[in-house]
Amino acid sequence: MAKRLDLKDVDIFYGTFHAVQNVSLSVPPRSVTAFIGPSGCGKSTVLRTLNRMHEVIPGAKVSGQVLLDGEDIYGDSVDPVEVRRTIGMVFQRPNPFPTMSIRDNVVAGKKLQGEKNKKSLDEIAERSLRGANLWNEVKDRLNKPGGGLSGGQQQRLCIARAIAVQPDVLLMDEPCSALDPISTLAIEDLIGELKKDYTIVIVTHNMQQAARVSDQTAFFNLRATGEPGQLVEIDDTDKIFSNPTQRATEDYISGRFG
Ligand SMILES: Nc1ncnc2c1ncn2[C@@H]1O[C@H](COP(=O)(O)OP(=O)(O)OP(=O)(O)O)[C@@H](O)[C@H]1O
Ligand SMILES: [Mg+2]
C-alpha cells in the first residue's frame, strides 16, 4: 500500500565528497513528486538513498533520516533487501533480463521471494502487466524473450517487474529519457494511473514532463562545482512553474522554457 516518505536533514557522501547537503522534504502517499535541477546537483543520488541503493557504492554514506510511514529505513533492525522490495526502482535505460521470457521477467522478484506456485505466478504476471499497460501487447507472447520488445515496451516491462512485488513506493530515474515521444506519453499516462496505488518519485530533465505528471516538484541546485547539491525549494507543481519563491528556481525554469 502506498506510504509516505519523509526525509529529515539528509546529507549524502561518496567517500569524502559531500554530494548532497541537508535535504528535508515529504512525499505524501498516492502522489507524484518530481525532482528537477541541473546535471550533477544530486537528483539520482537523493533518489538512491530512498531505497538504500546508495550504500552499495563503496565508501558511500548517508546521515539524517529517511522515514517510510514514520519508520527509519536506515534503522538498525531494518533489512536493506526488504527496503528495496518495498521501495521499487525503475532506471533510465530499460533493463529487462534480455533472454528471460516476458512472464519470467515480471515475476523474477516474486520467485526470489520464494513464490513457486505456477498459477499464482501467472496471475501476478497478468495483474502486473495490466497495471503497466502492457498486457494487451504481450499476452500472446509471454514466453518470448523480454529483450525482443521495443524500448517503450521494455520500460513498461520494467515497471511491471517493479510493481509485481507490490511495493509501497516507486522511484523512477529519468524513465523516459531513452524513449520516443509516443512511448513517453504512454509512460506518463501510466504514471497517472499508478499514483492511485503508489507513492511515486520521478527524476526528469523534461520540464513539461514534470509539469504534466507531478503534484509537487522539488528543485535541486548546485552553487558551484565541487559544492554539495541542495534542495532549493519544494512546492505544488503549479506554484513552482508559475510563481516559485526562489530566484534560482525561476532562473532555471525560465531558462529551460526559453
Ligand atoms: N558513484 C559515484 N561516486 C562518486 N561520485 C558520484 C557517484 N555518483 C555520483 N557522484 C557525484 O555526485 C554528484 C551528484 O550526482 P548525481 O548523479 O546524483 O547527479 P544528478 O542530479 O542525477 O545529475 P544528472 O542530471 O546528470 O543525472 C555529482 O558530483 C557526481 O559526480
Ligand atoms: Mg541523474
Side-chain angles (χ1 to χ4, degrees):
M1 275 294 98
K3 290 188 177 168
R4 66 177 289 116
L5 271 176
D6 294 284
L7 281 72
K8 297 206 169 138
D9 305 323
V10 170
D11 281 87
I12 314 171
F13 303 84
Y14 293 99
T16 54
F17 175 55
H18 193 176
V20 179
Q21 190 169 46
N22 197 30
V23 175
S24 296
L25 60 84
S26 293
V27 178
R30 296 189 184 78
S31 68
V32 179
T33 297
F35 286 180
I36 62 169
S39 183
C41 68
K43 304 175 298 294
S44 299
T45 298
V46 173
L47 202 71
R48 284 194 298 265
T49 61
L50 302 185
N51 72 344
R52 298 190 59 168
M53 287 283 282
H54 178 67
E55 70 203 51
V56 304
I57 299 160
K61 276 198 317 270
V62 180
S63 70
Q65 289 185 308
V66 179
L67 308 173
L68 182 66
D69 265 6
E71 298 236 14
D72 193 347
I73 65 166
Y74 287 89
D76 286 342
S77 57
V78 178
D79 175 4
V81 175
E82 178 58 15
V83 169
R84 290 173 207 136
R85 183 199 68 77
T86 346
I87 307 183
M89 193 152 186
V90 174
F91 299 88
Q92 186 166 7
R93 302 210 160 264
N95 59 348
F97 306 111
T99 56
M100 193 186 270
S101 74
I102 291 168
R103 171 199 181 268
D104 287 350
N105 258 285
V106 178
V107 298
K110 268 301 191 196
K111 281 184 165 174
L112 273 179
Q113 284 173 22
E115 178 63 71
K116 292 197 182 74
N117 185 290
K118 185 179 174 304
K119 190 157 166 286
S120 323
L121 289 171
D122 285 341
E123 282 168 9
I124 291 162
E126 176 168 347
R127 186 181 349 111
S128 310
L129 286 165
R130 284 189 189 280
N133 251 332
L134 186 59
W135 176 250
N136 286 335
E137 288 155 75
V138 301
K139 62 179 192 292
D140 299 322
R141 48 168 164 156
L142 292 172
N143 294 317
K144 295 272 164 37
L149 298 173
S150 75
Q153 289 171 331
Q154 288 187 20
Q155 195 59 304
R156 280 177 285 148
L157 179 62
C158 293
I159 293 172
R161 184 174 66 187
I163 62 181
V165 293
Q166 295 177 293
D168 300 318
V169 178
L170 269 182
L171 308 175
M172 302 187 179
D173 196 348
E174 302 187 51
C176 302
S177 63
L179 305 182
D180 64 86
I182 305 261
S183 306
T184 296
L185 284 180
I187 301 280
E188 289 183 7
D189 285 347
L190 175 56
I191 291 170
E193 285 293 311
L194 291 172
K195 83 168 183 184
K196 293 176 190 154
D197 298 311
Y198 299 98
T199 305
I200 297 175
V201 183
I202 178 174
V203 173
T204 177
H205 273 120
N206 179 325
M207 300 290 142
Q208 288 91 338
Q209 177 165 76
R212 282 194 296 262
V213 304
S214 71
D215 301 292
Q216 63 171 357
T217 297
F219 172 61
F220 292 85
N221 203 6
L222 200 59
R223 259 179 300 167
T225 319
E227 294 269 307
Q230 291 175 324
L231 173 63
V232 175
E233 64 180 310
I234 177 165
D235 211 327
D236 289 347
T237 296
D238 292 345
K239 172 92 167 46
I240 291 283
F241 284 97
S242 61
N243 187 19
T245 308
Q246 301 298 319
R247 178 67 194 268
T249 313
E250 191 170 342
D251 287 350
Y252 183 72
I253 284 165
S254 55
R256 291 301 170 115
F257 279 139

